[in-house]
Amino acid sequence: MCFKGKGPEKLQKSEARESFIEGQRPGGRRRTLKDRNVQMQVLTGQIIHDSEKSILHLNPHYGVFLKGENINLNCRCRCPLTMNRYYNSDQFWMKLDPQKGQCETSFNLTAEKGYEGGYTCECLLSENGQWIYSKRSDPVQIVVQDRLLEPTIYMDPDSGAASNGDNVAISCKGDIRSGGGTFHLYKDGKGNPVQSRTVTGGEQIVTFTINTRSEGSGGNYSCRYQTEVVGRSTDSPFSKDVAITEKGKETLDKMCSPDRRSRQSMVAMSMG
């Protein structure tokens, strides 16, 4: 069953806590709590805990969401299933009944600050007057920010100097949306990008190649990415810098280093 729209209004904390406690208490009468469009039936009867763990999926699985992006939460269970209960930061959020013959439920949210937190779910089965609970799922995190996630950058070799061959590979990883995007590589944080790569929505990482024998190849490199968010092109922050040493310059620097000049002087004196 899919809850459409911006998502349910949360129960007040006091009501949610009371409902959760009552739901674990054997016996008593059945009652219903209402909070606007959310309705939760309080469970009665004997409680049995199952060893099976429910599975909660977050789709899409972004590191951070920007305001206005659509989010889907899906709770899957072992069949048969009577209902799912969802929690945010261990507070009751909502309950959903599956469609007949289904063993999962889902609902949609529109990203905003009020929906941040660690979500979990559990599966419940009503059988012979007993409620059988699954283990709570592992949490999934929803983080809502005003900007995209900073890209991750790393090199191979990580020293930034090509010992075998002339090339250093710089990889950049970002939070690309389903419509795809473009990664840009910058040198010394100036001007236009020195390289760019366009990717599809399924690609989150690209690799740029720098020839360390090329004049001017040495320096500090960073990357950023562009991707479409809620119908508009959005830029990420810049990554941290990584440093590359130009191969010819590296050799010259070693030859002209104080330690090398000192060793050469000592050899000359001993020969004299």
Side-chain angles (χ1 to χ4, degrees):
M1 181 177 181
C2 184
F3 187 95
K4 297 181 179 179
K6 283 194 172 184
E9 297 287 339
K10 289 191 291 186
L11 289 175
Q12 297 296 323
K13 286 187 178 181
S14 59
E15 291 184 58
R17 191 176 297 109
E18 179 187 1
S19 304
F20 179 72
I21 295 170
E22 288 293 325
Q24 296 191 44
R25 186 178 297 158
R29 63 183 181 85
R30 179 181 294 274
R31 65 194 180 97
T32 298
L33 294 175
K34 293 184 178 179
D35 180 68
R36 295 188 184 178
N37 61 329
V38 178
Q39 188 179 63
M40 184 187 111
Q41 293 177 334
V42 177
L43 308 179
T44 62
Q46 185 178 356
I47 304 289
I48 299 175
H49 292 278
D50 190 2
S51 60
E52 191 81 9
K53 181 184 285 188
S54 51
I55 301 173
L56 184 61
H57 291 280
L58 174 66
N59 185 41
H61 202 281
Y62 298 146
V64 301
F65 291 89
L66 272 61
K67 290 182 180 180
E69 289 193 284
N70 293 322
I71 305 171
N72 178 268
L73 287 167
N74 174 273
C75 187
R76 298 181 182 178
C77 310
R78 183 174 63 182
C79 289
L81 172 68
T82 302
M83 76 168 70
N84 284 132
R85 294 173 77 174
Y86 292 84
Y87 301 84
N88 182 1
S89 303
D90 288 330
Q91 294 294 323
F92 173 77
W93 180 265
M94 67 177 299
K95 74 97 180 174
L96 284 177
D97 299 331
Q99 294 181 351
K100 187 175 181 180
Q102 297 295 310
C103 300
E104 62 184 10
T105 64
S106 64
F107 67 94
N108 298 324
L109 299 174
T110 299
E112 56 183 73
K113 287 292 185 180
Y115 290 140
E116 287 188 306
Y119 286 79
T120 57
C121 73
E122 63 187 357
C123 309
L124 290 85
L125 171 66
S126 177
E127 188 173 64
N128 299 324
Q130 300 174 334
W131 282 102
I132 303 174
Y133 280 66
S134 71
K135 286 185 178 180
R136 194 83 64 86
S137 69
D138 294 327
V140 297
Q141 296 293 326
I142 293 179
V143 180
V144 181
Q145 294 185 359
D146 296 325
R147 65 177 192 171
L148 290 167
L149 197 65
E150 179 183 298
T152 303
I153 191 170
Y154 53 93
M155 292 188 302
D156 182 24
D158 56 13
S159 63
S163 56
N164 296 317
D166 300 327
N167 294 331
V168 171
I170 299 179
S171 295
C172 187
K173 182 179 180 181
D175 220 5
I176 298 293
R177 274 26 186 183
S178 58
T182 305
F183 285 91
H184 301 291
L185 182 69
Y186 295 83
K187 180 175 179 291
D188 297 328
K190 298 176 182 177
N192 296 322
V194 294
Q195 294 185 41
S196 297
R197 296 280 188 278
T198 299
V199 297
T200 65
E203 298 175 276
Q204 301 292 314
I205 186 168
V206 298
T207 299
F208 302 100
T209 301
I210 303 297
N211 188 322
T212 58
R213 287 195 183 277
S214 298
E215 185 177 353
S217 60
N220 294 319
Y221 288 81
S222 60
C223 69
R224 71 189 308 189
Y225 59 95
Q226 293 175 311
T227 189
E228 188 172 296
V229 180
V230 196
R232 61 183 182 273
S233 181
T234 306
D235 293 328
S236 76
F238 281 94
S239 70
K240 296 178 174 61
D241 289 342
V242 293
I244 285 183
T245 304
E246 189 176 321
K247 198 159 190 179
K249 188 173 185 298
E250 178 191 29
T251 303
L252 182 62
D253 288 345
K254 286 183 178 179
M255 291 178 64
C256 298
S257 67
D259 289 344
R260 184 181 178 85
R261 289 199 301 268
S262 176
R263 288 195 298 270
Q264 288 175 337
S265 298
M266 294 176 65
V267 170
M269 292 174 62
S270 64
M271 289 179 65

